[in-house]
Amino acid sequence: MKYWVVHIAETGSTNRWLKEHGGEEDMVVWTDYQTAGRGCGTNTWESERGRNLLFSVLIHPEDIPANEQFIISMAMSNSIVKVVSPFVENVSIKWPNDIYVGDRKLCGMLIENRLQGCVIKDSIIGVGINVNQLLFVSDAPNPVSLANLTGQTYDTAELLQQLLEAFDEEWTDGEGVRSRYLSQLYRRTGFYRYRDALGEFLAELMTVEDDGHLVLRDIDGYSHRYAFKEVSFIV
Protein backbone atom coordinates (compact mmCIF):
# COMPACT_ATOMS: atom_id res chain seq x y z
CA MET A 1 0.00 0.00 0.00
CA LYS A 2 1.06 3.59 -0.56
CA TYR A 3 0.22 5.83 2.36
CA TRP A 4 -0.19 9.55 2.59
CA VAL A 5 1.64 10.18 5.88
CA VAL A 6 0.81 13.23 8.01
CA HIS A 7 2.55 14.29 11.21
CA ILE A 8 0.83 16.68 13.62
CA ALA A 9 2.14 18.01 16.91
CA GLU A 10 -1.07 17.51 18.88
CA THR A 11 -4.60 16.23 18.37
CA GLY A 12 -7.51 14.90 20.37
CA SER A 13 -7.04 11.43 18.95
CA THR A 14 -5.51 10.19 15.73
CA ASN A 15 -8.53 7.98 15.03
CA ARG A 16 -10.86 10.96 15.30
CA TRP A 17 -8.53 13.05 13.11
CA LEU A 18 -8.72 10.45 10.34
CA LYS A 19 -12.50 10.27 10.64
CA GLU A 20 -12.64 14.01 10.02
CA HIS A 21 -9.89 14.36 7.40
CA GLY A 22 -9.49 10.96 5.74
CA GLY A 23 -10.86 10.20 2.31
CA GLU A 24 -10.44 7.56 -0.36
CA GLU A 25 -6.66 7.33 -0.01
CA ASP A 26 -4.83 5.04 2.39
CA MET A 27 -3.50 7.42 4.99
CA VAL A 28 -1.44 7.55 8.19
CA VAL A 29 -1.47 10.26 10.83
CA TRP A 30 0.94 10.26 13.75
CA THR A 31 1.29 12.73 16.56
CA ASP A 32 3.52 13.76 19.43
CA TYR A 33 0.60 14.08 21.84
CA GLN A 34 -3.06 13.11 22.15
CA THR A 35 -5.32 15.06 24.47
CA ALA A 36 -8.04 12.39 24.37
CA GLY A 37 -6.31 9.17 23.44
CA ARG A 38 -8.56 6.14 23.78
CA GLY A 39 -8.17 2.43 24.16
CA CYS A 40 -10.89 -0.13 23.67
CA GLY A 41 -14.19 0.44 25.42
CA THR A 42 -13.93 3.18 28.03
CA ASN A 43 -10.16 2.86 28.48
CA THR A 44 -7.90 5.88 28.09
CA TRP A 45 -4.30 5.85 26.92
CA GLU A 46 -1.59 7.58 28.95
CA SER A 47 1.28 8.99 26.94
CA GLU A 48 3.88 11.61 27.81
CA ARG A 49 4.28 14.30 25.15
CA GLY A 50 6.78 13.38 22.45
CA ARG A 51 7.88 10.12 24.07
CA ASN A 52 5.83 7.44 22.36
CA LEU A 53 4.54 6.32 18.98
CA LEU A 54 0.90 7.30 18.53
CA PHE A 55 -0.60 6.77 15.10
CA SER A 56 -3.63 5.68 13.13
CA VAL A 57 -3.84 4.06 9.72
CA LEU A 58 -6.79 4.43 7.35
CA ILE A 59 -7.08 1.57 4.87
CA HIS A 60 -9.68 0.54 2.31
CA PRO A 61 -9.50 -3.25 2.17
CA GLU A 62 -11.19 -5.00 -0.72
CA ASP A 63 -13.74 -7.79 -0.41
CA ILE A 64 -13.31 -8.53 3.30
CA PRO A 65 -16.66 -9.76 4.67
CA ALA A 66 -17.85 -8.11 7.85
CA ASN A 67 -17.65 -11.40 9.74
CA GLU A 68 -13.94 -11.70 8.86
CA GLN A 69 -12.92 -8.18 9.88
CA PHE A 70 -10.74 -9.52 12.70
CA ILE A 71 -8.03 -10.22 10.12
CA ILE A 72 -7.19 -6.50 10.29
CA SER A 73 -6.55 -6.73 14.02
CA MET A 74 -4.47 -9.87 13.58
CA ALA A 75 -2.38 -8.34 10.79
CA MET A 76 -1.48 -5.21 12.74
CA SER A 77 -0.77 -7.22 15.90
CA ASN A 78 1.59 -9.48 13.97
CA SER A 79 3.32 -6.46 12.47
CA ILE A 80 4.01 -4.88 15.84
CA VAL A 81 5.38 -8.13 17.26
CA LYS A 82 7.71 -8.41 14.27
CA VAL A 83 9.06 -4.88 14.69
CA VAL A 84 9.62 -4.86 18.47
CA SER A 85 10.86 -8.44 18.87
CA PRO A 86 14.45 -7.60 17.81
CA PHE A 87 14.66 -5.24 20.80
CA VAL A 88 13.05 -7.33 23.56
CA GLU A 89 12.28 -10.97 24.27
CA ASN A 90 9.02 -12.67 25.26
CA VAL A 91 6.74 -10.50 23.10
CA SER A 92 3.19 -11.80 22.65
CA ILE A 93 -0.32 -10.75 21.63
CA LYS A 94 -2.86 -10.63 24.43
CA TRP A 95 -6.24 -11.25 22.84
CA PRO A 96 -7.61 -9.41 21.08
CA ASN A 97 -4.75 -7.03 20.17
CA ASP A 98 -2.69 -5.79 23.12
CA ILE A 99 1.04 -6.35 22.75
CA TYR A 100 2.69 -7.69 25.88
CA VAL A 101 6.26 -8.24 26.98
CA GLY A 102 6.06 -10.88 29.65
CA ASP A 103 3.08 -9.81 31.76
CA ARG A 104 3.35 -6.11 30.97
CA LYS A 105 1.56 -4.06 28.33
CA LEU A 106 3.69 -2.40 25.68
CA CYS A 107 1.04 -1.49 23.13
CA GLY A 108 -2.71 -1.00 22.78
CA MET A 109 -4.93 -0.76 19.75
CA LEU A 110 -8.34 0.60 18.81
CA ILE A 111 -9.81 -0.48 15.47
CA GLU A 112 -12.93 1.11 14.03
CA ASN A 113 -14.40 -0.44 10.89
CA ARG A 114 -17.12 1.00 8.69
CA LEU A 115 -19.25 -1.37 6.67
CA GLN A 116 -20.82 -1.08 3.25
CA GLY A 117 -23.40 -3.80 2.94
CA CYS A 118 -21.79 -7.00 4.15
CA VAL A 119 -18.17 -5.98 3.46
CA ILE A 120 -15.74 -3.52 5.04
CA LYS A 121 -15.72 -0.09 3.44
CA ASP A 122 -12.74 1.23 5.39
CA SER A 123 -10.88 0.67 8.61
CA ILE A 124 -9.08 2.99 11.00
CA ILE A 125 -6.42 1.26 13.07
CA GLY A 126 -5.27 3.32 16.05
CA VAL A 127 -2.08 2.24 17.77
CA GLY A 128 -0.23 3.46 20.85
CA ILE A 129 3.21 2.00 21.58
CA ASN A 130 5.13 2.89 24.73
CA VAL A 131 8.56 3.71 23.36
CA ASN A 132 10.62 6.23 25.34
CA GLN A 133 8.40 7.00 28.34
CA LEU A 134 10.01 5.96 31.63
CA LEU A 135 7.37 6.84 34.24
CA PHE A 136 3.66 5.99 34.09
CA VAL A 137 1.39 7.76 36.56
CA SER A 138 -2.10 6.57 35.61
CA ASP A 139 -3.85 3.67 37.31
CA ALA A 140 -3.13 1.35 34.38
CA PRO A 141 -1.97 -1.84 36.09
CA ASN A 142 1.01 -2.96 34.06
CA PRO A 143 2.43 -0.54 31.43
CA VAL A 144 5.99 -0.84 30.18
CA SER A 145 8.02 0.85 27.44
CA LEU A 146 10.87 -0.20 25.21
CA ALA A 147 13.07 2.27 27.09
CA ASN A 148 12.08 0.71 30.44
CA LEU A 149 13.09 -2.70 29.15
CA THR A 150 16.30 -1.88 27.32
CA GLY A 151 17.63 1.38 28.76
CA GLN A 152 17.80 2.81 25.24
CA THR A 153 15.85 5.46 23.34
CA TYR A 154 14.29 4.95 19.93
CA ASP A 155 13.43 7.02 16.87
CA THR A 156 9.63 6.91 16.68
CA ALA A 157 9.56 7.99 13.01
CA GLU A 158 11.81 5.09 12.10
CA LEU A 159 9.68 2.66 14.09
CA LEU A 160 6.58 3.90 12.29
CA GLN A 161 8.18 3.28 8.89
CA GLN A 162 9.17 -0.24 9.93
CA LEU A 163 5.65 -0.94 11.14
CA LEU A 164 4.04 0.22 7.91
CA GLU A 165 6.41 -1.98 5.92
CA ALA A 166 5.65 -4.95 8.18
CA PHE A 167 1.92 -4.34 7.85
CA ASP A 168 2.20 -4.34 4.06
CA GLU A 169 4.03 -7.68 4.24
CA GLU A 170 1.21 -9.11 6.31
CA TRP A 171 -1.33 -8.21 3.62
CA THR A 172 0.89 -9.64 0.89
CA ASP A 173 1.01 -12.97 2.72
CA GLY A 174 -2.57 -12.86 3.93
CA GLU A 175 -3.00 -16.64 4.06
CA GLY A 176 -0.56 -16.86 6.95
CA VAL A 177 -1.94 -14.02 9.07
CA ARG A 178 -4.14 -16.14 11.32
CA SER A 179 -1.55 -18.89 11.92
CA ARG A 180 1.09 -16.30 12.83
CA TYR A 181 -1.34 -14.59 15.17
CA LEU A 182 -2.26 -17.82 16.95
CA SER A 183 1.37 -18.83 17.35
CA GLN A 184 2.19 -15.54 19.10
CA LEU A 185 -0.72 -15.39 21.55
CA TYR A 186 -0.17 -14.57 25.21
CA ARG A 187 -0.77 -17.65 27.39
CA ARG A 188 -1.07 -19.83 24.30
CA THR A 189 -0.20 -22.96 26.31
CA GLY A 190 -1.13 -24.02 29.83
CA PHE A 191 -3.91 -23.23 32.31
CA TYR A 192 -4.35 -19.70 33.68
CA ARG A 193 -6.92 -17.76 35.62
CA TYR A 194 -9.66 -15.84 33.82
CA ARG A 195 -12.80 -14.01 34.91
CA ASP A 196 -16.20 -13.87 33.22
CA ALA A 197 -19.70 -12.90 34.34
CA LEU A 198 -19.87 -15.98 36.57
CA GLY A 199 -16.56 -15.40 38.34
CA GLU A 200 -12.98 -16.65 38.21
CA PHE A 201 -11.96 -19.94 36.66
CA LEU A 202 -8.98 -21.88 35.34
CA ALA A 203 -8.79 -22.49 31.60
CA GLU A 204 -6.48 -23.02 28.67
CA LEU A 205 -6.60 -21.11 25.40
CA MET A 206 -7.93 -23.24 22.56
CA THR A 207 -8.17 -20.84 19.61
CA VAL A 208 -9.36 -17.50 18.30
CA GLU A 209 -12.01 -17.88 15.64
CA ASP A 210 -12.03 -16.04 12.32
CA ASP A 211 -14.55 -13.53 13.65
CA GLY A 212 -12.38 -12.79 16.71
CA HIS A 213 -14.15 -14.85 19.38
CA LEU A 214 -11.86 -16.38 22.00
CA VAL A 215 -12.36 -20.05 22.84
CA LEU A 216 -11.19 -21.33 26.22
CA ARG A 217 -11.43 -24.81 27.74
CA ASP A 218 -11.85 -25.11 31.49
CA ILE A 219 -10.27 -27.76 33.71
CA ASP A 220 -13.38 -29.92 33.40
CA GLY A 221 -13.02 -30.02 29.63
CA TYR A 222 -15.88 -27.64 28.74
CA SER A 223 -15.37 -25.04 26.02
CA HIS A 224 -16.39 -21.41 26.44
CA ARG A 225 -16.67 -18.88 23.62
CA TYR A 226 -16.26 -15.17 24.31
CA ALA A 227 -16.63 -11.90 22.46
CA PHE A 228 -14.45 -8.95 23.46
CA LYS A 229 -15.09 -7.68 27.01
CA GLU A 230 -16.95 -10.88 27.98
CA VAL A 231 -13.87 -12.35 29.65
CA SER A 232 -10.74 -10.89 31.22
CA PHE A 233 -7.28 -12.24 31.86
CA ILE A 234 -6.20 -12.25 35.50
CA VAL A 235 -2.60 -11.04 35.24
Side-chain angles (χ1 to χ4, degrees):
M1 301 181 210
K2 291 185 178 180
Y3 301 101
W4 177 22
V5 180
V6 177
H7 175 257
I8 50 180
E10 180 178 311
T11 186
S13 82
T14 52
N15 271 30
R16 185 188 307 158
W17 193 94
L18 278 178
K19 287 179 183 178
E20 295 172 353
H21 301 282
E24 298 304 315
E25 294 181 86
D26 292 336
M27 187 174 183
V28 178
V29 60
W30 63 294
T31 188
D32 300 325
Y33 186 66
Q34 292 186 132
T35 59
R38 291 193 297 134
C40 293
T42 59
N43 298 338
T44 58
W45 184 260
E46 176 193 359
S47 183
E48 186 180 344
R49 186 182 296 273
R51 304 295 289 173
N52 301 314
L53 179 53
L54 311 171
F55 70 98
S56 293
V57 183
L58 170 64
I59 60 172
H60 302 80
E62 296 182 1
D63 303 323
I64 296 182
N67 63 359
E68 296 179 15
Q69 59 189 283
F70 193 65
I71 191 172
I72 298 170
S73 181
M74 292 190 290
M76 183 57 79
S77 298
N78 290 346
S79 303
I80 297 168
V81 170
K82 180 177 181 179
V83 169
V84 303
S85 288
F87 307 123
V88 290
E89 297 180 348
N90 199 20
V91 183
S92 63
I93 304 165
K94 178 175 167 286
W95 176 85
N97 51 29
D98 286 340
I99 307 302
Y100 266 45
V101 179
D103 290 323
R104 303 183 72 183
K105 183 174 177 177
L106 180 73
C107 169
M109 202 178 304
L110 175 63
I111 299 177
E112 299 177 275
N113 297 321
R114 289 197 302 172
L115 305 181
Q116 188 167 38
C118 59
V119 299
I120 296 174
K121 178 183 180 182
D122 57 39
S123 179
I124 296 177
I125 311 160
V127 178
I129 305 177
N130 298 326
V131 179
N132 296 317
Q133 185 165 338
L134 296 177
L135 179 65
F136 296 88
V137 297
S138 75
D139 58 359
N142 58 346
V144 73
S145 70
L146 288 176
N148 285 147
L149 294 164
T150 67
Q152 301 179 31
T153 57
Y154 298 86
D155 185 324
T156 53
E158 183 177 333
L159 284 176
L160 175 61
Q161 183 59 42
Q162 292 175 14
L163 279 165
L164 295 178
E165 292 172 0
F167 187 60
D168 284 351
E169 290 173 3
E170 283 292 303
W171 281 118
T172 303
D173 184 24
E175 292 296 320
V177 169
R178 185 168 182 270
S179 62
R180 284 189 293 274
Y181 175 87
L182 293 175
S183 72
Q184 299 176 129
L185 281 172
Y186 176 69
R187 295 183 174 177
R188 58 188 173 274
T189 58
F191 283 84
Y192 296 90
R193 299 204 70 81
Y194 297 85
R195 181 184 295 109
D196 63 11
L198 299 177
E200 294 186 13
F201 62 100
L202 275 173
E204 62 179 341
L205 194 156
M206 298 302 298
T207 193
V208 176
E209 298 175 340
D210 287 343
D211 62 2
H213 281 82
L214 176 70
V215 181
L216 301 176
R217 183 168 61 193
D218 65 28
I219 57 175
D220 296 317
Y222 294 101
S223 295
H224 305 265
R225 181 174 181 265
Y226 296 100
F228 180 57
K229 290 293 187 182
E230 291 181 348
V231 66
S232 58
F233 294 67
I234 298 177
V235 180

Short mmCIF file of all heavy atoms in Angstrom, two decimals, residues 16 38 45-46 63 67 86-87 89 91 97 108 111-112 117 127 139 177 182 195 204 224:
data_model
loop_
_atom_site.label_atom_id
_atom_site.label_comp_id
_atom_site.label_asym_id
_atom_site.label_seq_id
_atom_site.Cartn_x
_atom_site.Cartn_y
_atom_site.Cartn_z
N ARG A 16 -9.86 9.92 15.57
CA ARG A 16 -10.86 10.96 15.30
C ARG A 16 -10.38 11.87 14.17
O ARG A 16 -11.18 12.28 13.32
CB ARG A 16 -11.13 11.77 16.55
CG ARG A 16 -12.25 12.80 16.38
CD ARG A 16 -12.36 13.70 17.60
NE ARG A 16 -12.48 12.92 18.82
CZ ARG A 16 -12.17 13.38 20.03
NH1 ARG A 16 -11.72 14.63 20.17
NH2 ARG A 16 -12.31 12.62 21.10
N ARG A 38 -7.65 7.17 23.27
CA ARG A 38 -8.56 6.14 23.78
C ARG A 38 -7.99 4.76 23.51
O ARG A 38 -7.30 4.53 22.53
CB ARG A 38 -9.93 6.22 23.09
CG ARG A 38 -10.74 7.44 23.45
CD ARG A 38 -12.16 7.26 22.96
NE ARG A 38 -12.23 7.15 21.51
CZ ARG A 38 -12.95 6.24 20.85
NH1 ARG A 38 -13.62 5.32 21.52
NH2 ARG A 38 -13.00 6.24 19.54
N TRP A 45 -5.68 6.23 27.19
CA TRP A 45 -4.30 5.85 26.92
C TRP A 45 -3.38 6.95 27.43
O TRP A 45 -3.44 8.08 26.96
CB TRP A 45 -4.08 5.62 25.42
CG TRP A 45 -2.71 5.13 25.10
CD1 TRP A 45 -1.66 5.86 24.63
CD2 TRP A 45 -2.22 3.80 25.23
NE1 TRP A 45 -0.55 5.07 24.47
CE2 TRP A 45 -0.86 3.80 24.83
CE3 TRP A 45 -2.80 2.59 25.66
CZ2 TRP A 45 -0.08 2.64 24.84
CZ3 TRP A 45 -2.02 1.45 25.67
CH2 TRP A 45 -0.69 1.48 25.27
N GLU A 46 -2.54 6.61 28.39
CA GLU A 46 -1.59 7.58 28.95
C GLU A 46 -0.35 7.65 28.09
O GLU A 46 0.25 6.61 27.76
CB GLU A 46 -1.19 7.17 30.37
CG GLU A 46 -0.13 8.07 30.96
CD GLU A 46 0.51 7.51 32.22
OE1 GLU A 46 0.12 6.41 32.66
OE2 GLU A 46 1.41 8.19 32.76
N ASP A 63 -13.05 -6.49 -0.47
CA ASP A 63 -13.74 -7.79 -0.41
C ASP A 63 -13.50 -8.56 0.88
O ASP A 63 -13.43 -9.79 0.87
CB ASP A 63 -13.31 -8.67 -1.60
CG ASP A 63 -13.60 -8.00 -2.94
OD1 ASP A 63 -14.64 -7.33 -3.04
OD2 ASP A 63 -12.78 -8.13 -3.85
N ASN A 67 -17.90 -10.39 8.71
CA ASN A 67 -17.65 -11.40 9.74
C ASN A 67 -16.21 -11.92 9.74
O ASN A 67 -15.86 -12.78 10.54
CB ASN A 67 -18.62 -12.58 9.60
CG ASN A 67 -18.49 -13.32 8.28
OD1 ASN A 67 -17.67 -12.96 7.43
ND2 ASN A 67 -19.30 -14.35 8.09
N PRO A 86 12.99 -7.70 17.80
CA PRO A 86 14.45 -7.60 17.81
C PRO A 86 15.01 -6.85 19.01
O PRO A 86 16.19 -7.00 19.35
CB PRO A 86 14.76 -6.85 16.50
CG PRO A 86 13.60 -7.14 15.62
CD PRO A 86 12.42 -7.18 16.53
N PHE A 87 14.18 -6.04 19.68
CA PHE A 87 14.66 -5.24 20.80
C PHE A 87 14.46 -5.92 22.16
O PHE A 87 15.24 -5.70 23.08
CB PHE A 87 13.95 -3.88 20.82
CG PHE A 87 14.01 -3.13 19.52
CD1 PHE A 87 12.85 -2.73 18.88
CD2 PHE A 87 15.24 -2.84 18.94
CE1 PHE A 87 12.90 -2.04 17.68
CE2 PHE A 87 15.30 -2.15 17.73
CZ PHE A 87 14.13 -1.75 17.10
N GLU A 89 12.72 -9.58 24.35
CA GLU A 89 12.28 -10.97 24.27
C GLU A 89 10.89 -11.13 24.89
O GLU A 89 10.39 -10.24 25.57
CB GLU A 89 13.28 -11.88 24.99
CG GLU A 89 14.67 -11.88 24.38
CD GLU A 89 15.62 -12.80 25.13
OE1 GLU A 89 15.26 -13.24 26.25
OE2 GLU A 89 16.71 -13.07 24.60
N VAL A 91 7.82 -11.34 23.61
CA VAL A 91 6.74 -10.50 23.10
C VAL A 91 5.58 -11.39 22.67
O VAL A 91 5.77 -12.42 22.02
CB VAL A 91 7.21 -9.65 21.91
CG1 VAL A 91 6.10 -8.72 21.44
CG2 VAL A 91 8.45 -8.85 22.27
N ASN A 97 -5.83 -7.68 20.93
CA ASN A 97 -4.75 -7.03 20.17
C ASN A 97 -3.83 -6.16 21.03
O ASN A 97 -3.22 -5.22 20.51
CB ASN A 97 -5.32 -6.19 19.01
CG ASN A 97 -6.43 -5.25 19.46
OD1 ASN A 97 -6.45 -4.79 20.61
ND2 ASN A 97 -7.35 -4.95 18.56
N GLY A 108 -1.27 -0.82 22.89
CA GLY A 108 -2.71 -1.00 22.78
C GLY A 108 -3.19 -0.57 21.42
O GLY A 108 -2.51 0.16 20.69
N ILE A 111 -9.47 -0.35 16.89
CA ILE A 111 -9.81 -0.48 15.47
C ILE A 111 -11.28 -0.16 15.28
O ILE A 111 -12.15 -0.69 15.99
CB ILE A 111 -9.49 -1.90 14.96
CG1 ILE A 111 -7.99 -2.17 15.11
CG2 ILE A 111 -9.91 -2.05 13.50
CD1 ILE A 111 -7.57 -3.56 14.69
N GLU A 112 -11.56 0.71 14.32
CA GLU A 112 -12.93 1.11 14.03
C GLU A 112 -13.20 0.88 12.54
O GLU A 112 -12.61 1.54 11.69
CB GLU A 112 -13.13 2.58 14.41
CG GLU A 112 -12.91 2.82 15.91
CD GLU A 112 -13.03 4.28 16.29
OE1 GLU A 112 -12.03 5.01 16.15
OE2 GLU A 112 -14.13 4.68 16.72
N GLY A 117 -22.76 -2.51 3.16
CA GLY A 117 -23.40 -3.80 2.94
C GLY A 117 -22.81 -4.83 3.87
O GLY A 117 -22.72 -4.62 5.08
N VAL A 127 -3.09 2.97 17.03
CA VAL A 127 -2.08 2.24 17.77
C VAL A 127 -1.32 3.19 18.70
O VAL A 127 -0.95 4.30 18.31
CB VAL A 127 -1.06 1.56 16.81
CG1 VAL A 127 0.03 0.84 17.60
CG2 VAL A 127 -1.78 0.59 15.87
N ASP A 139 -3.57 4.89 36.56
CA ASP A 139 -3.85 3.67 37.31
C ASP A 139 -3.83 2.43 36.43
O ASP A 139 -4.29 1.35 36.85
CB ASP A 139 -5.20 3.77 38.03
CG ASP A 139 -6.35 4.04 37.07
OD1 ASP A 139 -6.10 4.16 35.85
OD2 ASP A 139 -7.50 4.12 37.54
N VAL A 177 -1.70 -14.97 7.99
CA VAL A 177 -1.94 -14.02 9.07
C VAL A 177 -2.48 -14.71 10.32
O VAL A 177 -1.97 -14.51 11.43
CB VAL A 177 -2.91 -12.91 8.62
CG1 VAL A 177 -3.37 -12.07 9.81
CG2 VAL A 177 -2.23 -12.00 7.59
N LEU A 182 -2.03 -16.79 15.94
CA LEU A 182 -2.26 -17.82 16.95
C LEU A 182 -0.96 -18.28 17.60
O LEU A 182 -0.91 -18.55 18.80
CB LEU A 182 -2.99 -19.02 16.32
CG LEU A 182 -4.42 -18.76 15.84
CD1 LEU A 182 -4.97 -20.00 15.13
CD2 LEU A 182 -5.33 -18.39 17.01
N ARG A 195 -11.58 -14.42 34.22
CA ARG A 195 -12.80 -14.01 34.91
C ARG A 195 -13.86 -13.67 33.87
O ARG A 195 -13.60 -12.92 32.92
CB ARG A 195 -12.56 -12.79 35.79
CG ARG A 195 -13.81 -12.32 36.55
CD ARG A 195 -13.57 -11.05 37.34
NE ARG A 195 -12.60 -11.23 38.41
CZ ARG A 195 -11.36 -10.73 38.43
NH1 ARG A 195 -10.93 -10.02 37.39
NH2 ARG A 195 -10.55 -10.93 39.44
N GLU A 204 -7.56 -23.12 29.66
CA GLU A 204 -6.48 -23.02 28.67
C GLU A 204 -7.05 -22.44 27.38
O GLU A 204 -8.24 -22.62 27.06
CB GLU A 204 -5.85 -24.38 28.40
CG GLU A 204 -6.79 -25.42 27.84
CD GLU A 204 -6.08 -26.74 27.58
OE1 GLU A 204 -4.84 -26.76 27.48
OE2 GLU A 204 -6.79 -27.76 27.46
N HIS A 224 -15.66 -22.66 26.24
CA HIS A 224 -16.39 -21.41 26.44
C HIS A 224 -15.95 -20.44 25.36
O HIS A 224 -14.75 -20.27 25.12
CB HIS A 224 -16.08 -20.82 27.83
CG HIS A 224 -16.36 -21.78 28.95
ND1 HIS A 224 -17.55 -21.79 29.65
CD2 HIS A 224 -15.59 -22.77 29.49
CE1 HIS A 224 -17.50 -22.73 30.58
NE2 HIS A 224 -16.33 -23.34 30.50
#
